[in-house]
Amino acid sequence: MGVLWVAVKAEPRIFTLSVLGSALYAAMTVATAQVLGWATEEVVLPAFESGDTTAGALAGVAVAIVGVALLKAIGVAARRFYAGLMQYRLQAEYRRAVTRQYLRLPLAWHHRHPTGQLLSNANADVEAVWAPIAPLPMAVGVLFMLLIAAVSIMVTDLVVAGVGFLVFPAIALINVVYQRRLAPVATRAQQLRAEVSEVAHESFEGGLVVKTLGREESETERFTERAEALRDANVAVGRIRGLFDPVLEALPNLGVLAVLLIGSLRLESGAMSPGDLVNVAYLFTLLSWPVRALGWVLGEVPRSVVGWERVRGVLDATGSLPFGDGSLDGKGRATPLEVREVRFAYESMDDDAAGRDVLHDATFAASPGRTIAVVGPTGSGKSTLTSLLVRLVDPARGAVLLDGVDLRDVRRGGVAETAALVPQQTFLFDDTVRGNVTLGLDVPDERVWEALRLAQADGFVAALGDGLDTRVGERGATLSGGQRQRLALARALVRRPRLLVLDDATSAVDPQVEARILRSIREAQSGEAGGATVVVVAYRKATIALADEVVYLEHGRVLDRGAHADLLERSEGYRNLVNAYERAETERETVEGGEEALA
């Protein structure tokens, strides 16, 4: 009832119109019984007695029946239209609400929730929540019909009414048993829908791994297991509903038989007229409609409650990033980027366990317009640091400042207007080159080509069949890894950020191309009054050497910082790491060169 009341409060006018339509239908249904009783008493029986009738009498009956039927049709149309409108509006509203919440929640929350589950929350669970809305106005309206019918029956004959109303305790008892049997089975089915979605999404996302490792059969078995469990749960729901629905519909018919039996006896004794018996018997046949309508609502309630709990779990989730009123709209070069004693730990998947610190009191500053290389072994916190610099996550302690403003005090959208991140994992949409670079930004093609030139992507884009209008396929499937990375870089550059963060964003391109990219960015920024500060996570020695300053991370701590040459001299750990990177790169190039020679 709480879930249904939320719906009524959300759409009171539409619900009222739908209930009024249902009430009109209910009233006209009862009126049909009255018309039939009147026609039996005033037209049919006199015609049998006299062997003749008049055209006026027949016309009167026809007009009454057609008029009632027309009003009933208007009620049905109004009920169905507004009930459907209410249901779909609520589904759309809550899909938007769930999606907005996904966008508000930080990455740390998303790390703990599988994508398949999130898809299920926004789709199947939202649909389940509002599934009872379509039959709800009808159920409310037929309660009105039930009340009218009950009063009419009691006014006509109390004895017959008392016999017929014995059906209602039986209906109530069966509904209680029905709900208790159905609720756990429906809950299980709803949970399995999310699990099927999760397995399917994982299989699609990991399609390359599945194909290359020959895991098609095992993935098929994994999906089949969940799909068959869902099938069995749905069959169990159908079996219970198939058992109880006929019983619920049969009880009013049994009541009609009892009414006809008792009514016939009272008719013989002269206690009631034939018209009254027809009226009462027909009214009892109508009782199956209220029972059926209530059964439709009650049958959807278990799924609705489960879906509501899952949706509310998302909408009530905490941890969204708070925003202030600060602005980063200053023109010209950004004031120094400052990282002050930052500590960060990812939340554990186990709610009872504390997350391990990834960064420990990290501190450094980047002067305006300079290039900073962040270097460190795997797991040292480099990617986490880049997420903090563009405020995808907030530090547990310390602060990140730009223009002297703590990023936590910046208004919503302010950081995105000033800073841009090109992450390790490149994502392209199934759109044109232009659409992937601009992502809705209203800029002329000249500016798009400028960004492509800086990213060393203008050459291959010009060679594509339709240039900027070439569709790149899902996730950029028609492009190489290096081409995808350069388009992602152009996407950031076209926004002309004052802080550009590259998280190993050129690892898939040749070292010579990578050097040209970084050099072109430096030259472009040095020629502008508003040159960007560039922070790049780097592995290649040649790339690191292009930076004005290096920040050396190890185990989440800034162990050293300075010029590349100075760090090579004074830091053994840094020297060993960079030389190891260089050896690995040389070996990779040698292997690739040998493969090309053999080919």
Side-chain angles (χ1 to χ4, degrees), residues 75-310:
V76 170
R79 183 197 76 218
R80 291 184 177 179
F81 174 79
Y82 288 110
L85 179 62
M86 181 178 177
Q87 182 181 37
Y88 298 135
R89 281 169 64 97
L90 285 168
Q91 288 178 353
E93 177 186 344
Y94 273 79
R95 282 197 182 96
R96 289 192 294 265
V98 169
T99 303
R100 285 195 297 267
Q101 180 72 339
Y102 288 162
L103 297 175
R104 282 194 295 266
L105 289 167
L107 287 181
W109 185 88
H110 286 273
H111 292 158
R112 302 194 309 273
H113 295 81
T115 305
Q117 178 182 328
L118 303 185
L119 291 173
S120 180
N121 291 149
N123 187 31
D125 290 334
V126 169
E127 288 186 359
V129 171
W130 305 123
I133 297 304
L136 177 62
M138 181 177 180
V140 175
V142 296
L143 286 177
F144 175 68
M145 180 180 73
L146 187 62
L147 177 62
I148 296 176
V151 172
S152 179
I153 291 171
M154 287 189 292
V155 168
T156 302
D157 193 290
L158 283 174
V159 175
V160 173
V163 172
F165 289 163
L166 292 175
V167 170
F168 289 103
I171 291 175
L173 178 61
I174 290 175
N175 264 310
V176 169
V177 176
Y178 174 48
Q179 292 303 310
R180 290 182 178 178
R181 290 283 302 275
L182 186 64
V185 180
T187 300
R188 175 61 176 162
Q190 193 68 10
Q191 292 171 342
L192 284 169
R193 284 185 179 90
E195 293 180 17
V196 168
S197 180
E198 291 173 17
V199 174
H201 185 269
E202 279 188 349
S203 297
F204 298 150
E205 286 290 292
L208 182 60
V209 175
V210 172
K211 289 289 186 182
T212 55
L213 297 181
R215 304 298 298 169
E216 294 93 341
E217 186 175 344
S218 62
E219 282 300 297
T220 301
E221 291 176 358
R222 190 162 73 103
F223 182 82
T224 299
E225 178 186 353
R226 295 292 83 196
E228 290 181 348
L230 176 58
R231 177 203 62 195
D232 294 341
N234 285 331
V235 168
V237 170
R239 185 180 295 114
I240 293 174
R241 298 186 74 161
L243 175 63
F244 281 91
D245 284 352
V247 175
L248 290 174
E249 292 192 24
L251 282 175
N253 295 325
L254 294 176
V256 171
L257 292 176
V259 164
L260 289 174
L261 177 61
I262 302 300
S264 299
L265 296 176
R266 291 183 62 75
L267 183 62
E268 290 181 1
S269 66
M272 65 187 306
S273 67
D276 290 339
L277 179 58
V278 170
N279 182 18
V280 170
Y282 183 77
L283 288 173
F284 264 103
T285 63
L286 298 179
L287 295 180
S288 61
W289 274 105
V291 172
R292 185 181 301 176
L294 292 173
W296 288 336
V297 174
L298 295 174
E300 296 292 345
V301 163
R303 280 187 61 216
S304 176
V305 172
V306 173
W308 177 252
E309 291 173 352
R310 292 169 65 87

Side-chain angles (χ1 to χ4, degrees), residues 299-336:
E300 296 292 345
V301 163
R303 280 187 61 216
S304 176
V305 172
V306 173
W308 177 252
E309 291 173 352
R310 292 169 65 87
V311 169
R312 289 308 313 178
V314 174
L315 297 181
D316 294 338
T318 58
S320 59
L321 296 177
F323 294 92
D325 299 322
S327 176
L328 297 175
D329 295 335
K331 304 300 181 184
R333 293 176 182 266
T335 56

Side-chain angles (χ1 to χ4, degrees), residues 330-368:
K331 304 300 181 184
R333 293 176 182 266
T335 56
L337 166 70
E338 299 178 70
V339 178
R340 296 180 181 173
E341 299 181 346
V342 165
R343 183 180 70 82
F344 182 82
Y346 288 104
E347 296 183 30
S348 173
M349 295 295 289
D350 185 355
D351 294 336
D352 297 329
R356 180 179 62 85
D357 281 354
V358 179
L359 291 173
H360 309 265
D361 300 323
T363 301
F364 69 91
S367 300

